[in-house]
């Protein structure tokens, strides 16, 4: 049995990311999610280039974000990408964003990716062999 | 009775918005949604500055996007913001993004905004008077 | 003899582009410059895809921007790309950004591009044939 | 006599920052410059909020960037902000961007900031007292 697979990364809120209300513009969280998802990819060997080398690309088909508290310029956020296993030929993550000062949860979200063949962008409806092998390697049972 | 309230805007896909797969990076759609929501604000008098002048700000508390087809560099997209009425003290929009070349639906999404007082960012749980008046003016019954 | 070659495009300042000082964050002007340069490309047949089809890519090797007046949320800017002829194997533009409300000059800048072969990104030190032909077609003498 | 004042920060190139040529889109370097300038501000007590607390804001009036080598997705860059002293009422930085893998210089640039009063954005033509004191504290002679 595997424990939860997750990675986290730290983001310092940039001046350019803060809007006239002095809080992070909501669209930037999508980038923070990607920062954490990429960190997961590096930590567990499921990065863009890993997948690419196996002959696939994995575009996002769904993303969502719930905003609970604002983040302000200069604050530090901890962004967590939590891998959610699914039997489908998809990669699913949940995200949690915390204010590092008090570890208050400031946003949550999720993303879903599918597998396309690298060469002609054909949707792959079954789990690619490399992905099944990756799941096994990281300790996911089914 | 009112017909559907909606606005649409045209976006030409920028070189800087396209990733190494030669398609729009998914996070940019949040900006396209905002372009259409802002267009709606200008068309119907519910823009950021209108709301601000009534003493409120309306931050996004939820956004989601489903990606169906890619958009490529140089293509034109039509982005539609469709107002969805709700009895709650919220502003809710659905979005549809079309490829202008064939009007194929390439993405859908939604956003939800709440009302905070402009001065101290207190959440307003009842519908502000100005918003009730706005609804009446644009022909929304309840 | 040719008259000045230029194109202009209109930009409505987005909420997401404005910082906590309620003015456009300076880095966004680079995007506005590109909007105008791309408009020039479409107007005169020197766009990214035109150049690509001739076997070249034209990365930016230098960009600069001088900021004179702020632009605020909701304001309209007119961005002008002015082609500057040079005997070198380069594409050079100057940019002027005006506040559409009063046509006050709010920023100026420039960009320089070089020619790389599309296939292996080799720097091309002489003027490509297609570019010499383009110059002739648009009426540039030398 | 003071030695050179500088700070550096590390940037991992994001998927969203890379264009269809698989290299960083040039406009993103302005953000990298800001990352390093902000790091300098934190290291030396000349950050946005420090300056703000003294009653000033320091908008960018000029920025430039020279691009020498591309950066690719996943690569690490070291971005250096080097303080350049000037007798004028300005803050001037030079920037150097290195590819961390081989410390090859991939871009250089500069930025210039002026002092505006925080309240009404009036340009300050003489060196503010706090800035003179800051210079003295960090060991700058004149």
């Amino acid at each position: 049995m595997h424990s939860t697979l997750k990675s986290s990364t730290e983001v310092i809120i940039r001046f350019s990311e803060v809007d006239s209300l002095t809080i992070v513009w909501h669209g930037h969280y999508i980038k923070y999610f990607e920062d954490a998802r990429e960190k997961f990819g590096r930590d567990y060997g499921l990065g863009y280039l890993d997948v690419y080398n196996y002959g696939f690309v994995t575009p996002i088909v769904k993303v969502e974000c719930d905003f609970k508290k604002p983040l302000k310029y200069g604050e530090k956020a901890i962004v967590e990408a939590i891998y959610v296993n699914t039997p489908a030929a998809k990669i699913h993550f949940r995200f949690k964003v915390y204010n590092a000062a008090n570890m208050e949860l400031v946003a949550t979200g999720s993303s879903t990716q599918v597998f396309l063949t690298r060469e002609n962008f054909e949707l792959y409806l079954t789990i690619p062999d490399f992905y099944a092998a990756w799941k096994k390697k990281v300790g996911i049972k089914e």
Side-chain angles (χ1 to χ4, degrees), chain A:
Chain A
M1 218 186 92
H2 73 286
S3 55
T4 305
L5 300 179
K6 61 182 176 183
S7 287
S8 71
T9 191
E10 188 186 278
V11 171
I12 301 180
I13 304 307
R14 292 173 181 79
F15 183 75
S16 63
E17 295 171 340
V18 166
D19 64 24
S20 56
L21 301 176
T22 74
I23 62 176
V24 172
W25 177 67
H26 71 285
H28 292 302
Y29 287 75
I30 307 299
K31 195 173 56 180
Y32 302 162
F33 289 176
E34 187 151 285
D35 284 351
R37 192 172 49 232
E38 297 265 300
K39 179 63 160 47
F40 184 95
R42 290 193 297 273
D43 287 351
Y44 289 97
L46 194 68
Y48 175 77
L49 293 175
D50 299 310
V51 168
Y52 192 82
N53 289 334
Y54 283 111
F56 293 91
V57 294
T58 53
I60 303 281
V61 293
K62 184 175 184 63
V63 70
E64 53 184 352
C65 188
D66 285 88
F67 307 92
K68 296 168 191 309
K69 299 270 180 186
L71 283 170
K72 289 178 174 285
Y73 167 70
E75 290 185 332
K76 281 184 198 175
I78 306 295
V79 190
E80 208 172 69
I82 302 138
Y83 180 81
V84 180
N85 189 35
T86 161
K90 293 181 176 174
I91 304 177
H92 190 60
F93 285 101
R94 284 189 300 119
F95 302 98
K96 292 186 177 179
V97 184
Y98 300 93
N99 188 325
N102 52 15
M103 286 310 280
E104 202 171 26
L105 185 66
V106 296
T108 60
S110 69
S111 71
T112 308
Q113 293 164 271
V114 294
F115 293 93
L116 302 187
T117 57
R118 184 179 71 187
E119 301 310 336
N120 46 14
F121 284 21
E122 295 281 334
L123 180 64
Y124 221 72
L125 293 171
T126 56
I127 295 189
D129 288 347
F130 91 90
Y131 189 44
W134 177 85
K135 285 193 175 195
K136 201 169 173 187
K137 194 180 70 181
V138 297
I140 296 170
K141 272 294 160 40
E142 92 273 34

